[in-house]
Amino acid sequence: MNIQALINDKVSQALEAAGAPAGSPAAVRQSAKAQFGDYQANGVMGVAKQLGTNPREFAQKVIEQLDLDGIAEKVEIAGPGFINIFLSKEWLAEQAEKALADERLGVAKEETKTIVVDYSAPNVAKEMHVGHLRSTIIGDAVVRTLEHLGHKVIRANHIGDWGTQFGMLIANLERVQKESGEVSMELSDLEAFYRESKKLYDEDADFAERARNYVVKLQGGDEYCAEMWKKLVDVTMIQNQRNYDRLNVSLTRDDVMGESMYNDMLPGIVADLKEKGLAVEDDGAQVVFLDEYKNKDGEPMGVIIQKRDGGFLYTTTDIACAKYRYETLGADRVLYFIDSRQHQHLMQAWTIVRKAGYVPEDVTLEHHAFGMMLGKDGRPFKTRAGGTVRLADLLDEAEERATKLIEAKNPELDAEEKANIAKTVAMAAVKYADLSKHRTTDYIFDWDNMLAFEGNTAPYMQYAYTRVASIFKRANVEQSDLTHPVMITDEKEQALLSKLLQFEEAVQTVAREGHPHVMCAYLFELAGLFSSFYEACPILNAEEAVKQSRLKLALLTAKTIKQGLDLLGIETLDRM
Ligand code: ARG
């Protein structure tokens, strides 16, 4: 149950009963400090101002109307007219029992929507770079969360698999095949292959001629070119899939919906936009002028949707793709996890989409932008030589570092278990470091921070889980042995339980806003409250009823951490 929503409803009703206009916001939030209770309603001041009454007096009226019988044990007015709500211990205990009895931990499913999530989206014959890493990790966490809430999620891996560069790539693949026979899927250094293709194109006139010819043929549906194109896509996606699997990212080959998929739609889109009077010819190109965007001379900005030579653009594809996601996939919401530098591009494409009526207003097109990944020096993350960091190399390094760490911490474990722990911690560290930051800002990629066992890190959270789970192991009981009810005898228990019951609020926030750091922050806080509880409240030495209640709190904590990390795509370990 979402307690915040419940209380918000109750306060809204009370506001209205006290004379507030219908729909006045109750603005109920989780309280920042225990002294302000569990929740705080901040809406009274605004309404009082609107009504021209004294806010504290109005707050008193609201409280008289507020029906939180059995839910809250205390409601008080604070400061200029905040209402602080203290939940009842019995009610909290009851909710804990419900959560424990439910494999979803009491998290309700939402009304099912069809949600398309555009993420990862690497480019063919190029290495995945760190921008794709961010998109992949953040997108996948949100996908998992949306699915958990019962939505129908369609993963759309919008790979860059179309464009004139395929002429030179095909020509080069042909050359390599002639020289060394059939190429395996081990065209391991894609970046080098791409550079080599480009060099040949620039320096070898015959090659360039062949390449241009292949572009035309590929676009015309030529079988040979299609086959070569597919080979390039396959090699790339086999390599990317290895990264996805290593990272525990849920994308598969079936989720690929690359740019090429929309190719056949593009002529029709341009024709339609012309017919609707949105696109006009300008210097031989087809252009949509948007009043919403001004160029440097203050004139409406022209967005090219078809070049003079007939070629289409990235924007044209994104117009088609939004249309397809609504029309064909039946999307209610479309989420795009893309670098913030592409914001203007998306806004232009979507402005055109809306003007053309391709996607109705109630279907949201959402750009969930993220900043750059920076090196420790605060500059864009690069290799020492200034090149792109290969994702596979980055993950290898993470494993190497985690192996050393685990070796130092737990030399007595057997080799296989150590290797498994190191791998799990390494991938978790890379992911969590990204997920725990507010995604819109740039963030510094720092090995020492992400692998630390203190602070808001993956090792800390994974260790917290292991520790809580081990308390249970030491008690040597099953959940079904715990027959005594949850009861609150100490304020540390109450603080922990109140936080535990806010899990659903965190899940829903991530789903709504696409901000996984909200879950990380929640779990980190939860782990901290558990530590304080564990320090203050002995478990195994307590008398039986108290012991069982505390074991239940520990169990619910373990389950919540595991579930929360799982929604982030992060694995837990029984031993570390
Ligand atoms: N392939 C693009 C890139 O590497 C990202 C595509 C994002 N998705 C989209 N619908 N434009 O920049």
Side-chain angles (χ1 to χ4, degrees):
M1 188 200 326
N2 183 328
I3 301 174
Q4 186 201 344
L6 170 75
I7 294 182
N8 200 70
D9 277 354
K10 298 276 187 188
V11 176
S12 298
Q13 287 164 18
L15 271 172
E16 246 188 273
S24 300
V28 170
R29 311 265 179 273
Q30 295 171 8
S31 297
K33 288 199 181 119
Q35 75 213 64
F36 302 141
D38 299 288
Y39 290 88
Q40 187 167 61
N42 302 341
V44 166
M45 280 88 72
V47 177
K49 194 171 171 199
Q50 225 180 314
L51 298 176
T53 59
N54 174 303
R56 279 190 73 102
E57 277 166 28
F58 186 64
Q60 187 55 43
K61 276 198 198 150
V62 175
I63 288 183
E64 278 157 24
Q65 298 294 335
L66 185 57
D67 176 17
L68 287 174
D69 280 355
I71 299 176
E73 62 186 16
K74 187 169 78 177
V75 176
E76 62 182 24
I77 303 170
F82 297 107
I83 298 177
N84 294 341
I85 295 152
F86 298 77
L87 297 174
S88 117
K89 295 183 181 56
E90 293 71 32
W91 189 78
L92 283 170
E94 245 170 72
Q95 304 315 308
E97 295 290 352
K98 284 189 194 153
L100 271 171
D102 175 11
E103 57 171 35
R104 299 181 52 79
L105 307 177
V107 174
K109 290 203 172 181
E110 296 184 336
E111 191 197 327
T112 307
K113 289 188 172 159
T114 299
I115 304 176
V116 176
V117 185
D118 182 317
Y119 71 113
S120 192
N123 298 316
V124 169
K126 292 229 169 156
E127 287 292 341
M128 271 175 92
H129 59 65
V130 289
H132 299 123
L133 176 63
R134 295 208 73 187
S135 172
T136 303
I137 292 174
I138 302 171
D140 204 53
V142 175
V143 159
R144 288 168 184 267
T145 305
L146 290 167
E147 259 175 0
H148 186 65
L149 287 174
H151 296 292
K152 178 184 168 203
V153 177
I154 301 174
R155 295 163 173 77
N157 195 352
H158 193 85
I159 64 171
D161 63 354
W162 205 245
T164 47
Q165 73 275 23
F166 280 91
M168 67 178 197
L169 294 171
I170 291 173
N172 197 23
L173 182 59
E174 181 178 66
R175 187 190 63 83
V176 174
Q177 274 188 3
K178 271 195 191 131
E179 268 172 25
S180 50
E182 192 53 28
V183 283
S184 67
M185 288 304 155
E186 292 305 318
L187 199 59
S188 67
D189 195 345
L190 284 170
E191 206 68 31
F193 178 81
Y194 196 98
R195 276 199 304 274
E196 180 185 58
S197 311
K198 179 90 179 65
K199 191 161 187 278
L200 286 166
Y201 185 83
D202 290 338
E203 291 171 5
D204 178 339
D206 287 344
F207 181 92
E209 176 64 36
R210 255 198 321 280
R212 277 192 292 272
N213 183 23
Y214 283 153
V215 178
V216 179
K217 280 185 149 176
L218 179 66
Q219 282 170 349
D222 174 81
E223 213 172 289
Y224 171 75
C225 284
E227 199 184 294
M228 297 291 268
W229 169 84
K230 186 161 181 301
K231 234 177 239 179
L232 290 162
V233 176
D234 284 345
V235 176
T236 309
M237 291 319 288
I238 284 169
Q239 294 192 13
N240 288 335
Q241 191 61 46
R242 269 186 223 136
N243 289 327
Y244 294 154
D245 292 346
R246 264 180 108 174
L247 278 165
N248 188 30
V249 163
S250 66
L251 284 167
T252 69
R253 187 59 197 263
D254 295 339
D255 303 316
V256 169
M257 289 189 219
E259 291 179 27
S260 65
M261 234 181 78
Y262 307 99
N263 197 41
D264 291 344
M265 289 172 72
L266 306 183
I269 297 254
V270 172
D272 185 56
L273 292 175
K274 276 168 81 173
E275 198 171 311
K276 293 194 162 110
L278 289 164
V280 293
E281 192 170 318
D282 188 59
D283 199 15
Q286 298 301 329
V287 182
V288 181
F289 287 95
L290 296 176
D291 291 329
E292 293 81 353
Y293 297 90
K294 302 276 191 251
N295 65 19
K296 49 186 180 316
D297 302 322
E299 289 152 2
M301 186 185 286
V303 180
I304 304 179
I305 54 168
Q306 186 170 22
K307 290 187 287 191
R308 270 164 74 165
D309 66 6
F312 300 102
L313 293 104
Y314 187 47
T315 310
T316 330
T317 306
D318 263 314
I319 295 170
C321 131
K323 185 171 189 277
Y324 177 86
R325 287 169 181 177
Y326 165 67
E327 258 175 29
T328 309
L329 301 179
D332 298 306
R333 258 181 100 181
V334 192
L335 280 58
Y336 293 73
F337 288 89
I338 312 180
D339 192 323
S340 54
R341 286 169 297 184
Q342 294 193 29
H343 188 66
Q344 165 138 318
H345 153 75
L346 287 172
M347 291 306 126
Q348 290 175 347
W350 297 345
T351 304
I352 297 172
V353 164
R354 299 292 189 192
K355 287 192 169 183
Y358 292 153
V359 179
E361 292 294 338
D362 63 340
V363 173
T364 54
L365 300 170
E366 308 168 26
H367 181 200
H368 296 283
F370 50 82
M372 280 196 288
M373 186 161 132
L374 306 174
K376 248 180 151 168
D377 56 1
R379 320 252 299 252
F381 194 74
K382 291 272 163 64
T383 59
R384 235 172 257 147
T388 358
V389 178
R390 289 186 53 201
L391 185 52
D393 294 342
L394 186 89
L395 302 184
D396 286 347
E397 181 166 354
E399 275 183 25
E400 273 159 38
R401 286 175 182 263
T403 304
K404 283 198 197 116
L405 197 72
I406 300 303
E407 183 61 57
K409 256 193 136 62
N410 280 329
E412 75 288 353
L413 294 178
D414 70 68
E416 196 184 328
E417 185 170 9
K418 257 189 281 193
N420 181 46
I421 295 175
K423 213 171 66 187
T424 310
V425 170
M427 297 305 117
V430 170
K431 294 178 84 167
Y432 196 90
D434 196 325
L435 294 170
S436 58
K437 312 286 187 311
H438 195 294
R439 67 169 153 68
T440 53
T441 46
D442 296 345
Y443 90 96
I444 306 230
F445 188 89
D446 178 348
W447 289 116
D448 297 328
N449 275 342
M450 76 178 75
L451 284 163
F453 274 80
E454 287 90 44
N456 191 8
T457 65
Y460 172 80
M461 284 312 310
Q462 287 176 314
Y463 186 63
Y465 169 76
T466 310
R467 200 167 64 123
V468 186
S470 76
I471 294 168
F472 214 75
K473 242 185 264 164
R474 263 184 290 141
N476 210 4
V477 288
E478 300 289 324
Q479 181 171 356
S480 55
D481 299 334
L482 302 174
T483 48
H484 285 281
V486 171
M487 55 180 179
I488 292 174
T489 60
D490 186 287
E491 58 179 26
K492 302 282 185 200
E493 292 171 326
Q494 182 162 0
L496 172 64
L497 181 49
S498 173
K499 187 54 63 187
L500 279 167
L501 296 175
Q502 289 174 349
F503 180 55
E504 178 160 349
E505 289 161 45
V507 177
Q508 290 182 348
T509 306
V510 175
R512 190 176 59 241
E513 298 171 1
H515 276 301
H517 77 271
V518 170
M519 179 58 75
C520 297
Y522 168 79
L523 293 174
F524 183 58
E525 236 179 289
L526 180 65
L529 289 171
F530 183 83
S531 290
S532 312
F533 153 78
Y534 191 56
E535 254 164 53
C537 305
I539 299 183
L540 300 182
N541 300 328
E543 57 128 329
E544 189 60 22
V546 175
K547 172 177 155 184
Q548 288 202 12
S549 166
R550 289 180 179 167
L551 277 171
K552 280 184 168 178
L553 291 180
L555 184 61
L556 187 56
T557 305
K559 287 183 176 199
T560 305
I561 294 177
K562 190 177 176 62
Q563 174 75 85
L565 289 176
D566 187 57
L567 293 179
L568 295 168
I570 289 180
E571 289 167 306
T572 45
L573 292 153
D574 288 331
R575 263 213 311 195
M576 281 178 76

